[in-house]
Amino acid sequence: MAKGRVSIVVEHCKSCGFCVEFCPSHVLALSSAFNSKGYHPPHAVHPEKCSGCDLCGMYCPDFAIFATKTPGAKEGDK
Amino acid sequence: MSDRLITDIVNAGVNPVDHILRTDRMPHIWCPGCGIGTTVNSFARALIDSKIDLGSLALVSGIGCTGRVAGYVKLDSFHTTHGRAIPFATGLKLANPKLNVVVYSGDGDLSAIGGNHLIHAARRNIDLKVICVNNLIYAMTGGQTAPTTPGHSTTSTNPYGTFEPSFNLPHLVEAAGAVYVARWTTFHVRQLARSIGEAFQKKGFSFIEVISPCPTLYQRRNKLGDGLDTMKYYKEKSKVRHGAPTGEVGLTMTGEIIVGKFVDRDRPDYQTMMRTQYCESLGERFVEQEEMVCS
């Protein structure tokens, strides 16, 4: 069970790539799909690696991504 | 892949900073790769972490890209005339000394047209928290040379390169008398949030400079890549040096960026000095100002 879960508000994303670049566990990648403004929002390619640290949420200039800790996940769980 | 995206929309809960933002106005007008949103994010998290009463907080901003912050935060906010964010904030603070007043503006607004107000507010040590987002250019008006534009960079008013020496803002405000001076880049999100929290603990003129990318006008014209390339440059070239002499922290176009907390000192603020002076000269006749109530 992953320690955290990343949520993406697809319509707010402007595909700057900050979250993809600075995620410490490399959970994210820009997808090839478009949102309605024509940007490529990120998606979680390795959701099981997410630690819920919310660094993606702090870097996001568009308030379009955030991560939450999974309640009940133990330290050391993958 | 499209399945994944739809799942993500369904899974989207509530962003922890949503209650500080006017989410009905999102997505905002800032360009893809612009760092202003990141600074607002850090600011919002600093407010949450420092548990400040949001009702006692007022945010004042001037004109420019960063001036738009006032419209996107769900706080008492004030979008003022060009360069006059600090005078409006000074008035707010004097009329209601219990208010925490934050000035959130850009380098062009604070140091160019409002440069005079900046140095005098620092000299008087008015209890304001000034967050200056420095994108090294006048961005909203089309990329003209600003007082902070580093030498040799190309701008729309200096197509053959800037030759004017630029302002070193931490040095300027330290010399003018600020009690707290720090500089971070948009790469240092956690440090920036901590610094904003520290500034709220200080009484007096606090100044935090945040170096931010402007991919549309500054980086593109100088062939420095996009917002992400600039963030990588910040990561690679910034050096944390707390307490560095501010005279040595000037910015260049592609050189090292010294970041950190440069000044943290104590000096009586404007209202303390005013009270001391009036108590001394008027004695018994001096009456403390009553709290102002708007009805």
Side-chain angles (χ1 to χ4, degrees):
Chain A
M1 185 170 147
K3 282 195 276 181
R5 197 184 71 181
V6 60
S7 307
I8 300 156
V9 188
V10 173
E11 286 305 314
H12 286 188
C13 179
K14 291 180 186 158
S15 54
C16 63
F18 290 1
C19 52
V20 176
E21 177 69 26
F22 297 118
C23 173
S25 22
H26 309 288
V27 170
L28 301 158
L30 289 184
S31 71
S32 56
F34 295 99
N35 66 12
S36 68
K37 302 271 184 192
Y39 294 113
H40 298 286
H43 68 131
V45 278
H46 298 293
E48 73 286 352
K49 285 189 190 169
C50 180
S51 68
C53 69
D54 201 23
L55 200 63
C56 51
M58 282 199 91
Y59 273 112
C60 183
D62 295 275
F63 317 103
I65 188 168
F66 56 95
T68 42
K69 298 254 184 215
T70 316
K74 288 185 192 127
E75 280 300 311
D77 275 4
K78 272 272 163 153
Chain B
M1 191 168 286
S2 55
D3 287 346
R4 170 86 64 193
L5 286 177
I6 292 163
T7 321
D8 285 334
I9 300 170
V10 173
N11 282 349
V14 179
N15 195 328
V17 296
D18 263 3
H19 66 283
I20 295 180
L21 302 170
R22 293 181 209 220
T23 41
D24 52 321
R25 307 192 74 179
M26 301 288 165
H28 52 59
I29 61 151
W30 297 313
C31 306
C34 172
I36 299 172
T38 306
T39 68
V40 177
N41 217 327
S42 289
F43 174 69
R45 277 153 212 268
L47 292 185
I48 296 168
D49 292 344
S50 55
K51 297 187 177 60
I52 283 189
D53 172 24
L54 299 183
S56 75
L57 188 80
L59 189 141
V60 185
S61 62
I63 298 296
C65 290
T66 318
R68 289 290 187 132
V69 171
Y72 292 121
V73 289
K74 209 190 275 172
L75 304 166
D76 287 343
S77 59
F78 205 176
H79 194 180
T80 70
T81 49
H82 199 0
R84 314 299 173 225
I86 288 180
F88 278 88
T90 306
L92 264 177
K93 183 73 193 176
L94 292 183
N96 190 352
K98 286 187 180 158
L99 217 54
N100 276 310
V101 185
V102 180
V103 175
Y104 209 117
S105 211
D107 57 311
D109 186 73
L110 283 172
S111 74
I113 189 165
N116 188 22
H117 304 303
L118 179 73
I119 55 175
H120 288 290
R123 173 180 67 83
R124 292 171 175 150
N125 202 17
I126 295 163
D127 189 14
L128 302 177
K129 325 292 164 215
V130 180
I131 299 167
C132 173
V133 180
N134 186 353
N135 51 15
L136 310 174
I137 206 156
Y138 289 125
M140 189 164 271
T141 49
Q144 292 86 354
T145 304
T148 42
T149 308
H152 312 298
S153 40
T154 309
T155 65
S156 65
T157 46
N158 282 111
Y160 303 109
T162 315
F163 48 86
E164 304 168 14
S166 62
F167 259 152
N168 174 357
L169 293 178
H171 192 42
L172 177 76
V173 291
E174 190 202 0
V179 293
Y180 185 92
V181 182
R183 174 198 274 160
W184 298 104
T185 72
T186 46
F187 169 71
H188 302 89
V189 280
R190 289 210 197 275
Q191 292 93 326
L192 173 62
R194 199 182 314 129
S195 222
I196 294 171
E198 276 176 25
F200 275 113
Q201 305 300 320
K202 295 289 289 185
K203 188 131 178 97
F205 191 85
S206 312
F207 185 86
I208 299 168
E209 183 188 20
V210 195
I211 315 285
S212 161
C214 177
T216 311
L217 289 157
Y218 183 77
Q219 264 78 28
R220 183 175 60 86
R221 205 167 256 132
N222 288 292
K223 301 192 168 48
L224 295 172
D226 58 10
L228 187 57
D229 292 322
T230 314
M231 291 287 269
K232 288 179 192 160
Y233 156 66
Y234 293 159
K235 184 180 179 182
E236 193 185 326
K237 289 290 179 101
S238 58
K239 290 265 176 337
V240 181
R241 273 177 67 198
H242 293 297
T246 50
E248 298 168 11
V249 301
L251 294 171
T252 52
M253 200 165 92
T254 49
E256 202 169 68
I257 303 172
I258 311 287
V259 296
K261 180 170 78 176
F262 302 135
V263 178
D264 190 353
R265 58 186 174 190
D266 286 306
R267 204 161 75 84
D269 78 308
Y270 183 81
Q271 268 151 335
T272 315
M273 287 188 287
M274 182 175 76
R275 202 174 297 118
T276 317
Q277 174 66 32
Y278 286 169
C279 284
E280 206 174 280
S281 56
L282 295 173
E284 291 282 297
R285 284 181 295 154
F286 176 61
V287 182
E288 192 74 42
Q289 175 194 343
E290 292 290 322
E291 192 183 342
M292 281 208 173
V293 181
C294 298
S295 54

